Amino acid sequence: MTVRQTLIDRNGQLEFSTPKTHRSRRSVTLTDSAVVILRQHKAQQNQERLTTGEAWTAMDLVFATELGKPVHPRNLFRAFRQIIAKASVPVIRLHDLRHLHATLLFAAGTHPKVVSERLGHATIGITLDTYSRAARHAEGRGDAA
């Protein structure tokens, strides 16, 4: 997967922008199961595009509305909260999934440089400062994050 752009809400108007730093523009390796799910999603999206016809806005987005336009962040957050409630798991913010991912990578013994690159941090120091507790635990020197 390649991170090429970000979506920001400027006073109610959605705009695409470049990621914050050079390292934020990156390729991220996906698991085989994630690739399978994304291919299924793309096939479903292509079917929706055919059904929608000329009303479809071709923007080549992974996650889009039924008309091909960007999903507004508030709608994404609302859907995420519904998924959390249905799953009966502790309430977290969507951004917390990023922290969970980093923590799980450290717990699996992933090298901090790899975690840093995956998250798009400008330096490994940022990663270690942010996730030092998880990194120490992964090395057997502390409690879990």
Side-chain angles (χ1 to χ4, degrees), residues 32-44:
D32 291 343
S33 59
V35 170
V36 167
I37 290 167
L38 285 171
R39 284 187 176 144
Q40 291 170 347
H41 173 71
K42 182 68 171 175
Q44 180 182 349

Side-chain angles (χ1 to χ4, degrees), residues 73-132:
R74 74 173 166 260
N75 294 334
L76 179 65
F77 298 142
R78 184 180 309 119
F80 182 68
R81 283 194 305 268
Q82 290 171 351
I83 291 167
I84 291 291
K86 187 175 182 179
S88 297
V89 296
V91 175
I92 61 171
R93 300 169 301 149
L94 192 57
H95 188 75
D96 292 335
L97 293 176
R98 177 180 169 86
H99 296 292
L100 175 61
H101 178 65
T103 301
L104 292 174
L105 287 172
F106 279 121
T110 305
H111 191 280
K113 178 73 173 160
V114 174
V115 177
S116 180
E117 290 171 354
R118 229 175 140 75
L119 296 176
H121 286 159
T123 68
I124 193 173
I126 292 170
T127 307
L128 290 174
D129 286 347
T130 305
Y131 300 101
S132 60

Side-chain angles (χ1 to χ4, degrees), residues 1-4 24-31 34-35 38 62-63 101 118:
M1 174 181 73
T2 303
V3 178
R4 300 183 307 222
S24 295
R25 293 179 293 277
R26 65 198 182 279
S27 292
V28 178
T29 303
L30 299 174
T31 63
V35 170
L38 285 171
V62 175
F63 301 105
H101 178 65
R118 229 175 140 75

